[in-house]
Amino acid sequence: MLMDAIILSIQTVIRQLFNIEQVVHLSRPDSDFGDFATNVAMQLAKPLGKNPREIAEQLAESLRQTGDYTEVSVAGPGFINLKLSSKKLADNLQSTWSDKYGENNDGAGKTMVVEYPSANMAKPYSVGHLRSGNQGWAVKRLMDVTGWNVITDNHLGDYGTPFGVWVVGFLKFSSDEQLATDGIYELGRVYIATKKALKDEKERSETVLADQVQDWLIKLENNDELAVGYSKRFNDISIGHIHEIMGRLRIATDYELGEAFFARRGKQIVQDLLGQGIAIQNDDGSVIVPLDEFGIKVPLLVQKSNGAALYATTDLATILYREETWHPDKVIYAVGSEQIFYFSQLIAMAKKIGIKTELVHLWFGTIDQINEDGVREKMSSRKGVVMMEELLDQAEAKAREVVVGREVSDDDIKKIAVGAIKFSDFIADRRTNILFSWDSIFALSGFSGPYVQYAAVRVNKILHDNEITQTDISQYDWAPEKSVILKLLEYPDVVRLAARDLEPHKIATYLYELARDLNRYYETTPIAVGDVTDVEKQARLRLLQKVSQIFNHGLNLLGIEVPSSM
Ligand code: ARG
């Protein structure tokens, strides 16, 4: 592609002049200076023992002689600025990556496991698992288009006391009718009420309910018919709900191997580690893995004193299962910043037991809001955590407001709603905490999903209303389109970098800039109406075709669809 070709031409000139191999980076300077710039002369100054400005002048002279550039200039201490003709840029756009949109084979032959959204079964799907799904899905898509073999896994939180809490609470506070009507919300209500009852009885130093909870857990372990029946009933409701939300968010995974799937194996592995002296048993029967050699003072607890498996026990088994089953080169855990310390322990433990695979905690910041007192805090509602279903419903209502008065299908409303929510996940580096505000995520003139979607819809409308013909456009000079063409040419590098750094927000930034450049272009250049010749019109339509493809492709990487109208 173009950037590579330019780098190659600079490297060739360096080799001819100085007989040296040098890495060259390109940047995009202010357009007054040039289309591309490099600071390679500064880097060469030391090895060559020469003044960088002098090196830059020499390189510039040779680059001029190649005839590939319309202008080569030297600025400041030794920056080289390059300008290319619009025509050359357009030809390049046409020939080099017309159908590949920056897709490449960087990950060929390598396998990656990406884990998201890993929601918990006990309660309705809340915003707490929104970012995991968004980020995880986008990373999966980036890996797909860069040649990786990608396996996705929803590591469900389906193990441990919640089951016992559910049954006890169901028998005490609920009924078949209520469960049939309210489904997961009834289970959530029962769960919270029972947790409170457990807390209250603990304060009274009683253990009646707590004992019942344990009894149900043991029954389930022993495959008691009634317990298995309850488990299936509750799990079906819960997983059905998780699927519904994931469906609305347009995300899915290949596997759903939850914690419960790994618990038994985990306990076995803990025994093995004890045998190998890697894990240590405390006097109370609990088991730990010390991590001092990794600079982590707190050991990882892998078994409770009563022998029960813990979160880490199931994760331990999960790691080994993935190794044996999929032989991944990399495993990505899309999980919030709250678990940074836990994952540092888990990853250290994996090293300790000899796992070579790169395990990455792809963490992200919280979703915050400004509360009634004007204070920024983690997003919540009067009732507690914000439910995804509610958030999506509200987003659809907002999307309807945005397009009020226009004919927009329900399907498109959903695309706008989900697009707005998802895009807001990518407006900054994922580590940044997001400040959630309906106004900004639906801002039609800002860095938002609807802004980019609208730009895409507009392009598509122009393409829909005007036919592309066989008109010969080879003589067209593309000057008005130069900035849009340069932007399009950047896309393959953006994809490559976003994939390399696991940073999908780079795609979002790019798409926003493309939309903005395009809007500026429309302001000065008529496409299909007014004073345009047939050649101009046809050339411009063909460029818009590329733009449309890139919007589609880029938004798709983020899990966002383009509405047919808005
Ligand atoms: N279910 C967990 C939670 O909501 C997240 C699971 C993360 N993945 C893992 N392998 N530990 O906190």
Side-chain angles (χ1 to χ4, degrees):
M1 65 142 277
L2 182 70
M3 309 269 261
D4 293 341
I6 296 173
I7 288 171
L8 212 64
S9 85
I10 298 172
Q11 284 173 327
T12 307
V13 164
I14 292 172
R15 206 175 300 123
Q16 285 163 356
L17 285 174
F18 308 116
N19 196 19
I20 192 171
E21 295 300 322
Q22 174 66 34
V23 179
V24 173
H25 294 287
L26 288 183
S27 59
R28 293 278 317 277
D30 205 272
S31 63
D32 292 343
F33 293 107
D35 302 322
F36 299 98
T38 177
N39 64 356
V40 71
M42 273 98 109
Q43 287 168 340
L44 286 170
K46 209 163 187 183
L48 293 178
K50 275 184 161 182
N51 172 332
R53 176 92 199 183
E54 203 179 300
I55 298 170
E57 297 288 4
Q58 268 181 290
L59 288 174
E61 189 44 42
S62 298
L63 286 166
R64 275 175 211 123
Q65 280 162 19
T66 64
D68 289 336
Y69 305 97
T70 46
E71 200 182 314
V72 184
S73 59
V74 175
F79 289 104
I80 300 170
N81 292 312
L82 304 164
K83 272 193 189 168
L84 284 91
S85 76
S86 308
K87 183 140 179 31
K88 190 158 189 113
L89 292 170
D91 286 348
N92 202 280
L93 184 63
Q94 205 63 37
S95 61
T96 52
W97 55 281
S98 49
D99 299 317
K100 286 181 53 213
Y101 320 122
E103 296 192 4
N104 62 51
N105 269 318
D106 289 355
K110 289 188 284 182
T111 296
M112 184 184 292
V113 176
V114 189
E115 191 205 284
Y116 59 85
S118 308
N120 298 324
M121 306 271 279
K123 288 185 253 174
Y125 202 125
S126 78
V127 287
H129 290 92
L130 174 60
R131 298 202 75 183
S132 171
N134 291 345
Q135 298 285 336
W137 179 261
V139 165
K140 170 212 154 34
R141 291 291 303 130
L142 280 169
M143 295 306 128
D144 283 341
V145 301
T146 50
W148 286 77
N149 171 33
V150 191
I151 295 167
T152 54
D153 188 16
N154 187 0
H155 191 74
L156 295 169
D158 56 0
Y159 182 69
T161 50
F163 167 73
V165 176
W166 264 344
V167 188
V168 170
F170 176 68
L171 297 174
K172 196 171 158 60
F173 301 121
S174 188
S175 66
D176 290 339
E177 296 76 53
Q178 266 168 291
L179 189 61
T181 333
D182 286 340
I184 184 69
Y185 294 98
E186 177 62 7
L187 286 178
R189 185 187 73 79
V190 160
Y191 183 80
I192 290 166
T194 315
K195 286 294 256 195
K196 184 169 179 309
L198 282 162
K199 194 168 156 245
D200 292 348
E201 90 166 1
K202 195 171 180 182
E203 275 162 20
R204 298 194 304 272
S205 303
E206 282 172 22
T207 61
V208 184
L209 293 177
D211 291 344
Q212 289 174 6
V213 169
Q214 288 310 316
D215 284 348
W216 280 108
L217 290 171
I218 292 166
K219 278 188 189 160
L220 184 64
E221 276 217 42
N222 296 332
N223 287 322
D224 169 90
E225 207 179 312
L226 198 56
V228 172
Y230 277 128
S231 167
K232 185 163 164 25
R233 192 165 159 199
F234 298 158
N235 283 346
D236 284 351
I237 291 176
S238 195
I239 196 83
H241 170 72
I242 290 173
H243 286 167
E244 195 185 314
I245 299 296
M246 287 174 69
R248 285 181 78 173
L249 288 171
R250 299 278 196 270
I251 61 173
T253 60
D254 304 324
Y255 294 90
E256 275 177 332
L257 302 175
E259 294 168 20
F261 178 80
F262 297 106
R264 198 175 301 244
R265 171 91 197 274
K267 287 198 225 176
Q268 185 53 51
I269 298 168
V270 170
Q271 292 310 310
D272 298 346
L273 295 185
L274 277 171
Q276 293 161 17
I278 293 176
I280 295 173
Q281 187 140 32
N282 292 322
D283 293 341
D284 67 357
S286 60
V287 179
I288 56 169
V289 177
L291 301 167
D292 299 87
E293 63 268 48
F294 300 95
I296 299 174
K297 291 275 163 288
V298 187
L300 187 60
L301 188 62
V302 290
Q303 182 183 297
K304 274 205 233 176
S305 55
N306 65 3
L310 289 150
Y311 189 45
T313 323
T314 57
D315 262 328
L316 177 58
T318 308
I319 291 173
L320 293 177
Y321 176 89
R322 288 173 179 163
E323 288 293 306
E324 291 155 8
T325 319
W326 298 319
H327 314 288
D329 296 278
K330 223 180 207 184
V331 176
I332 307 282
Y333 298 91
V335 185
S337 55
E338 297 84 354
Q339 295 189 36
I340 289 178
F341 182 66
Y342 170 71
F343 276 100
S344 72
Q345 288 181 304
L346 186 70
I347 291 167
M349 183 189 62
K351 284 208 185 90
K352 185 157 173 159
I353 64 173
I355 302 293
K356 300 273 185 299
T357 307
E358 191 186 349
L359 307 180
V360 180
H361 178 202
L362 189 90
W363 62 272
F364 40 82
T366 52
I367 304 182
D368 301 339
Q369 66 186 10
I370 304 289
N371 72 14
E372 282 136 10
D373 305 323
V375 179
R376 183 169 173 157
E377 57 175 24
K378 217 166 148 169
M379 190 173 183
S380 65
S381 76
R382 223 162 277 129
K383 291 170 270 164
V385 284
V386 175
M387 300 307 160
M388 263 327 291
E389 186 163 16
E390 217 174 292
L391 192 81
L392 286 165
D393 289 347
Q394 281 175 354
E396 285 176 17
K398 297 276 174 198
R400 267 179 223 288
E401 283 170 29
V402 168
V403 299
V404 75
R406 278 176 299 223
E407 209 155 301
V408 177
S409 70
D410 282 351
D411 201 38
D412 283 343
I413 294 286
K414 292 193 169 89
K415 290 178 183 170
I416 299 165
V418 172
I421 288 185
K422 281 199 176 180
F423 197 91
S424 72
D425 214 296
F426 301 112
I427 57 171
D429 181 293
R430 68 184 140 74
R431 297 165 194 87
T432 318
N433 297 341
I434 292 176
L435 183 58
F436 189 93
S437 116
W438 287 115
D439 288 343
S440 59
I441 72 173
F442 277 100
L444 273 177
S445 56
F447 187 5
S448 75
Y451 176 79
V452 177
Q453 279 176 326
Y454 188 77
V457 167
R458 185 170 173 190
V459 171
N460 289 344
K461 171 132 179 47
I462 297 172
L463 290 168
H464 177 263
D465 293 347
N466 295 279
E467 202 183 335
I468 294 186
T469 62
Q470 295 299 314
T471 304
D472 175 14
I473 57 165
S474 59
Q475 296 314 307
Y476 183 65
D477 111 328
W478 301 99
E481 285 73 27
K482 188 166 183 183
S483 66
V484 175
I485 293 172
L486 279 165
K487 196 79 213 162
L488 289 175
L489 285 167
E490 273 178 42
Y491 187 65
D493 273 344
V494 174
V495 172
R496 174 166 273 150
L497 287 183
R500 187 196 68 188
D501 301 339
L502 305 174
E503 293 192 327
H505 77 278
K506 289 182 170 145
I507 303 285
T509 307
Y510 172 85
L511 292 172
Y512 168 69
E513 288 170 0
L514 177 61
R516 197 195 50 198
D517 288 358
L518 195 67
N519 286 335
R520 286 186 190 145
Y521 167 64
Y522 291 139
E523 277 166 27
T524 52
T525 318
I527 310 289
V529 282
D531 196 10
V532 275
T533 66
D534 187 44
V535 170
E536 283 169 343
K537 175 172 162 178
Q538 286 302 321
R540 289 167 189 174
L541 287 175
R542 272 181 237 182
L543 182 74
L544 288 189
Q545 217 171 22
K546 288 257 174 305
V547 172
S548 164
Q549 286 160 354
I550 295 307
F551 274 138
N552 250 315
H553 192 270
L555 284 170
N556 177 279
L557 290 180
L558 301 179
I560 297 173
E561 293 165 292
V562 179
S564 52
S565 65
M566 72 183 279

